[in-house]
Amino acid sequence: MSSVSAANEPKTPTASSPQEPQLRGNLGTAHLLFTVLAFNAPLAIVVGFLPVVIGYGNGLGAPMAFVAAGAIIALFAAGFTAMARHLPNPGGFYAYITAGLGRVAGLGSSFVALLGYYFMVIGSYAYGGLVLESLVHDTYHGPDIKWWVWGLFLLAIVGTLGYLKLDLSAKILSALLVCEIVVVLVYDACVVFQGGASGLGTSSFTPHAIFSGSIGIALLYGITCFGGFEATTIFRDEVRNPDRTIPRATYLVIGLVTVLYAGGAWVMIQAVGTDKVVAAAATDPTGSFISSLETYSGRVTVDIVTVLLNTSIFAALLSGHNITSRYMYNLSADRILHRSLSRVHGRHGSPHRASLTMTVLSLLGLAPFVALGTDPSKLYAVLVGIFGYALIVLLLVTGIAVPIYLRRNRVAGANPWNSVIAPVLALAGLAVSVVLATQNFNLLISGSQTLANTMFAVVYGTFAAGVVLALVYRKTKPEVYARIGRQ
C-alpha cells in the first residue's frame, strides 16, 4: 500500500476545535468496555466459532491459539494506546494511519475500514434475522415469518437507538453483555465442577497439541475474533477523561476476550473429551457445543442461551452500527463525505445524520440479497469474512504507522517498549496473519477461490479508490486534502 509522508504536511484543526461539530457523551470505562465488547458478540462466538477453531484449526491446542492472538493484539495496543494519548482524534484506523503514513494511505485505509464494518453490519442483519426466525418459529412455534422481515425489525430498533444519545445504547449493551458473560461462565463452572468428560487435563498446553492440526488457521481465526477493539478510540469524544478511559477499556477488552475464548475453548475440550472433541466439532460445530451445554448445565440453560444468542447478535449489530456511523461522521467532518453527515444532534450529541444514513444504506444493502433469494447464512459467512480480512490488513498497516508516528514526533510517554519493541513484535505476528489470511481467504468466506479473488478485488479496489481520491484532492482541492485525518 502506498504512503505519503505526513511530516511536512500542514496541520489542520482537530475534531475538538471550536468551529468543528463535536459529539458528546458521558461514558465511563465500564460502558465503553461493554459498548466495544458487544461488537464482538461473545456468546455467538463461543457457541458457533470456538468449535470451528477446535475442529478445523489446531484441535486440542485451540486455547493457546487464542492466547497467542491476544498476545499479538496486546503488543499492538502498547503503541496504539500511547498514540491515542497524543492524538485526540476519534478517527480510529483512519486517523492513526494518516498521522503515521500520510493522507493518501490514510484515506485509502479509511475506505477499507468503512467497507469492512458496513459488510459486517449487513451480514449480521441477515444472520440476526435468520436466528430470530428460528427462535420464533422453531423454538416457540410462532408464526412462520421470513428472515428478512425480522432483519427489518432489527434494523428499525438499531436505527432508532443509533439516532439517540450513545449513553442509552451503552446501557443496553452493558446489560446484554453481562447476561452473555454470566451464562458462559455458568457453563464453564458446571464443566469444571463436574470434572468434564473424563477429568480435567492440561493436554491443550503441550507443544504437541499447540502445533497440531493447522496452527496458522487457528491463529487467523483467533485474531479475527478480536474485531472491533480499536473502536475504543472512535468513541473518544463521547467518554469521560479519554486519556485514561481509552487505554483502560482497550486492555480490558483484549484481556476479557482472551480469557473468555481461550478458557471457553479449553472448557469445551474438557466437556466433550480430548478423544472426541475434534471430530465432534468438525462434524457439527454449533451442535457439539449445544449438546455439551445441555449435558452439563441442563435444558433450561440451553433455552436461555437460545434467547441470548439473539440478543448477542442484536448487541453486535447496535455496536457495529454505531462504529460505522462514526467512521462516516469523521469522513464528513473532513469533507470527504457530504458535510451534512457531520451534523451533531443538539440534544443527544449523536451523529444523527450519519446514523440515519447508515440505516438507509443497510436497507439498500440488504435489498438485492433479499430479491435474489440469497441464503442468509452464506451471506453472513462471506461478508463477515471480508470484515475479518480487512481488519487484519488494517491492523498491519496501523502497526507500521504507529511506531513511525511515535518516533517522529517524540511523543511524551513513548519509550523503547511501546514505540519499538512491542510494535515490532506485533508486526511480526500480524504479517504472518496477513499472509495466512490471503492464502486461506476462501476459508474465511466459506466460498470458492473464484469468489475469494472477487472479494480481493473489492477490498483492494476500495483502497485504491481512496488513494486516487486523495491524490485528486491534493491536486484540485488542497483545502480538502489538508483536512484528511485532521492531525
Side-chain angles (χ1 to χ4, degrees):
M1 293 186 176
S2 63
S3 64
V4 175
S5 173
N8 298 315
E9 293 182 346
K11 300 293 183 182
T12 56
T14 68
S16 57
S17 298
Q19 67 267 35
E20 296 290 349
Q22 186 172 0
L23 303 176
R24 301 189 305 277
N26 193 38
L27 300 186
T29 301
H31 280 153
L32 179 60
L33 166 67
F34 286 123
T35 297
V36 174
L37 190 60
F39 179 78
N40 217 259
L43 182 60
I45 286 183
V46 169
V47 172
F49 210 89
L50 295 192
V52 172
V53 178
I54 295 171
Y56 296 96
N58 61 332
L60 301 185
M64 288 305 296
F66 286 106
V67 172
I72 291 171
I73 299 299
L75 289 169
F76 172 89
F80 187 74
T81 55
M83 191 168 175
R85 295 186 184 96
H86 191 261
L87 187 69
N89 187 317
F93 289 136
Y94 166 47
Y96 287 60
I97 293 172
T98 300
L101 300 180
R103 292 177 172 87
V104 174
L107 190 58
S109 299
S110 75
F111 280 22
V112 174
L114 192 58
L115 175 82
Y117 278 108
Y118 175 66
F119 277 179
M120 180 72 172
V121 170
I122 296 298
S124 296
Y125 275 123
Y127 189 58
L130 181 65
V131 172
L132 193 51
E133 176 191 9
S134 176
L135 177 70
V136 172
H137 182 256
D138 300 335
T139 303
Y140 292 107
H141 309 292
D144 186 9
I145 300 174
K146 296 295 184 181
W147 69 266
W148 58 266
V149 177
W150 290 115
L152 292 177
F153 171 70
L154 292 172
L155 186 144
I157 299 175
V158 168
T160 300
L161 291 172
Y163 183 93
L164 302 174
K165 191 174 184 179
L166 183 63
D167 294 28
L168 176 60
S169 293
K171 291 174 182 176
I172 294 172
L173 292 174
S174 296
L176 295 177
L177 259 293
V178 167
C179 293
E180 287 185 49
I181 292 172
V182 166
V183 77
V184 170
L185 293 179
V186 166
Y187 166 70
D188 291 350
C190 288
V191 173
V192 171
F193 289 149
Q194 295 177 50
S198 54
L200 305 178
T202 58
S203 58
S204 292
F205 309 106
T206 62
H208 175 74
I210 293 171
F211 295 102
S212 65
S214 178
I215 180 63
I217 297 300
L219 180 62
L220 171 60
Y221 283 144
I223 290 179
T224 303
C225 285
F226 285 80
F229 82 93
E230 92 291 346
T232 52
T233 62
I234 292 174
F235 298 112
R236 181 183 182 90
D237 289 343
E238 297 163 272
V239 302
R240 297 193 301 268
N241 195 353
D243 288 343
R244 292 176 58 190
T245 300
I246 289 173
R248 286 179 181 176
T250 301
Y251 282 113
L252 282 171
V253 168
I254 296 169
L256 274 173
V257 168
T258 303
V259 171
L260 277 176
Y261 299 163
W266 177 78
V267 166
M268 182 178 174
I269 290 169
Q270 306 310 307
V272 179
T274 55
D275 56 335
K276 301 176 182 177
V277 67
V278 175
T283 303
D284 184 7
T286 300
S288 61
F289 177 86
I290 294 297
S291 177
S292 71
L293 180 67
E294 183 171 7
T295 299
Y296 291 93
S297 304
R299 186 66 209 177
V300 173
T301 306
V302 173
D303 293 338
I304 293 172
V305 165
T306 302
V307 174
L308 288 179
L309 185 59
N310 284 267
T311 64
S312 178
I313 297 169
F314 167 75
L317 268 170
L318 179 55
S319 182
H321 175 96
N322 286 334
I323 292 170
T324 312
S325 297
R326 281 152 182 80
Y327 264 111
M328 294 169 63
Y329 163 84
N330 279 285
L331 287 168
S332 170
D334 291 352
R335 305 298 182 259
I336 305 303
L337 300 180
H338 194 278
R339 65 185 304 166
S340 65
L341 298 183
S342 59
R343 300 267 179 88
V344 176
H345 195 282
R347 183 156 59 94
H348 301 301
S350 63
H352 62 299
R353 293 285 184 89
S355 179
L356 283 173
T357 302
M358 179 58 192
T359 300
V360 173
L361 289 175
S362 297
L363 179 63
L364 295 175
L366 281 172
F369 297 112
V370 174
L372 293 171
T374 306
D375 182 344
S377 62
K378 292 182 179 178
L379 176 62
Y380 175 76
V382 171
L383 296 184
V384 171
I386 294 173
F387 165 77
Y389 184 77
L391 168 71
I392 293 171
V393 171
L394 288 170
L395 283 172
L396 178 64
V397 178
T398 307
I400 297 170
V402 168
I404 290 175
Y405 178 86
L406 293 176
R407 302 296 292 180
R408 185 176 63 218
N409 292 277
R410 301 187 182 278
V411 172
N415 52 53
W417 168 251
N418 59 29
S419 64
V420 179
I421 300 172
V424 168
L425 292 174
L427 277 174
L430 291 170
V432 170
S433 300
V434 168
V435 171
L436 290 171
T438 302
Q439 292 175 341
N440 299 280
F441 191 47
N442 59 319
L443 296 178
L444 272 180
I445 63 174
S446 300
S448 65
Q449 189 58 49
T450 300
L451 179 60
N453 292 338
T454 302
M455 294 302 101
F456 277 136
V458 170
V459 172
Y460 289 107
T462 299
F463 175 79
V467 166
V468 170
L469 185 60
L471 293 173
V472 169
Y473 280 149
R474 186 168 67 180
K475 198 166 189 178
T476 63
K477 295 183 178 180
E479 72 283 0
V480 175
Y481 178 78
R483 295 181 63 89
I484 295 174
R486 287 171 298 153
Q487 299 168 44

